[in-house]
Every structure is written in C-alpha cells, then in structure tokens.
Amino acid sequence: LESRLASDPEFFCEAIRLIYRSKKEDQPSEDPTEDSKAIASNAWRLLHEWKTPPGSQKDEAFSAEHFNEWLQRVKTLCAESGHLEVALINIGEVLIHAPSDPDGLWIHQAVATALNDRDAEDMRDGFRTGTYNSRGVHWVDPTGKPENELAEQFRRKAEDVENAGFQRFAVTLRGLAESYEREAERVINEHKNRDDD
C-alpha cells in the first residue's frame, strides 16, 4: 500500500479525502458511520506510517519525472476537491525519506526544487513536522548535546541547499536548527533548575 501511495496519485488523494474534510464543505452532511470511521482510521494510519516518497522505483532508483508527474496530478485533484493544503502537508512529511541526489546533494534535486517552490509553504511545514516527529521517543541528555548536534546538522543541510539555489527550503531547515537549539537550552535550564532545588 505504501508503494501504491507513492505511485498512484488517485489512491493518495482518495486516502486524503477519507481522512480530511474538504475546504469547500462547511459541515459534513451526516454523521460518520462506524464503518466510515474505521476506514478513515486505517487511511490515517497508512499515511502516517508512509515512508516511500513518490518517485521511488522498484529497483530503489528515484525518478524525478515520476515524482513531478505524481505531484502535479495530486495538486490538480486535491485543488478540485478542496484538500490541497492537507495533501501538501502530508507530502512534505514523507519527503523527509527522499534519497540523496546523484550529484552529491543530501536530498534529490527534484524534491528540493518542489520544496523550494513559492507555493510550497504547506509542503515545507510538513517537512519540518515530519523531521521533528521522526526523532520519536528519545533519552534526554541533560547537557543538550544531541539537540545541539541536530542543530548543527540542519545548519549544514541548510547551507548545502542554499548553495544549490534553494533559498526558501534553506530557511525552513534553519528554522529546524533553531528549534533544536532552543530545545537544547530548555533541557539544560530544566536540569540546572532541578539541580538547584
């Protein structure tokens, strides 16, 4: 199902429509049935466990052409149905799993181009959220060292994509670096206050 989401834009849009209400609808016409709730719940789980970015091929290669075609089709279908914003956020979340570029950039150029697009704010938000949530449950180091290392890692990534011409995407990555720095400060201060008590 994950590879179907990544290869079939209609299937992805259907999953989005099962979970989220259209911006074009004020209120649902009727209360959801138990069956429709269960279907929506399964669709939600599928989307939130999805790690196969569009453009992924069976031989583990990545096709920029397939990625771009998939993305354009999703944008068209979800704009029509009133689901564009949530669709782009979900796409941004899966793009944290995009492969590196054959030319050496840490993320594929086609994906960086899409994330850098002027109209891709929702997708960049999804990328930021997906990155942040991908850390999962972790042990808290009272020195804040892991957070500071992540901040440094994202500052380097931001510099790399900026040097490749992706300024808007670089801003998002710098924002991630800053949020990890703030988290490091919070962890250090919390432990300092605890020690002072």
Side-chain angles (χ1 to χ4, degrees):
L1 286 176
E2 279 204 27
S3 56
R4 189 169 169 205
L5 280 174
S7 61
D8 181 348
E10 279 81 2
F11 180 63
F12 169 79
C13 294
E14 185 186 336
I16 289 287
R17 287 193 305 271
L18 285 169
I19 305 167
Y20 301 101
R21 188 164 54 229
S22 169
K23 282 238 162 136
K24 296 180 176 181
E25 274 177 46
D26 290 337
Q27 287 297 319
S29 47
E30 55 205 40
D31 288 337
T33 63
E34 287 308 311
D35 279 354
S36 65
K37 282 183 192 170
I39 291 167
S41 173
N42 288 336
W44 189 90
R45 196 173 310 113
L46 174 64
L47 274 181
H48 286 83
E49 289 172 4
W50 183 32
K51 290 181 176 59
T52 308
S56 302
Q57 305 297 291
K58 284 194 167 55
D59 58 2
E60 298 206 4
F62 184 84
S63 165
E65 186 184 347
H66 284 140
F67 170 74
N68 289 323
E69 284 171 3
W70 184 96
L71 185 58
Q72 280 316 117
R73 184 73 181 133
V74 165
K75 284 181 176 179
T76 302
L77 291 171
C78 287
E80 285 168 5
S81 70
H83 295 87
L84 185 58
E85 187 181 317
V86 289
L88 292 176
I89 291 168
N90 277 274
I91 294 166
E93 288 183 20
V94 78
L95 291 182
I96 69 168
H97 303 290
S100 56
D101 194 83
D103 291 343
L105 187 64
W106 61 270
I107 189 169
H108 201 284
Q109 293 263 1
V111 175
T113 300
L115 284 161
N116 194 63
D117 196 64
R118 178 173 288 131
D119 301 329
E121 188 67 40
D122 293 322
M123 216 160 27
R124 289 191 290 274
D125 285 348
F127 190 92
R128 180 178 27 243
T129 304
T131 301
Y132 214 73
N133 292 344
S134 69
R135 195 172 178 205
V137 177
H138 55 278
W139 176 76
V140 177
D141 180 338
T143 66
K145 185 170 179 255
E147 288 76 16
N148 281 319
E149 285 172 354
L150 283 165
E152 186 51 41
Q153 181 188 327
F154 280 99
R155 208 172 286 105
R156 276 197 306 273
K157 285 183 170 187
E159 204 169 299
D160 290 346
V161 297
E162 187 164 53
N163 290 338
F166 305 113
Q167 280 76 18
R168 291 184 197 93
F169 186 30
V171 169
T172 297
L173 297 169
R174 284 206 180 85
L176 266 166
E178 286 162 13
S179 65
Y180 284 123
E181 274 174 349
R182 283 192 300 274
E183 203 170 312
E185 280 172 31
R186 184 186 58 74
V187 165
I188 292 164
N189 289 334
E190 263 180 27
H191 282 82
K192 200 185 290 172
N193 293 339
R194 213 172 286 164
D195 293 342
D196 292 344
D197 287 347

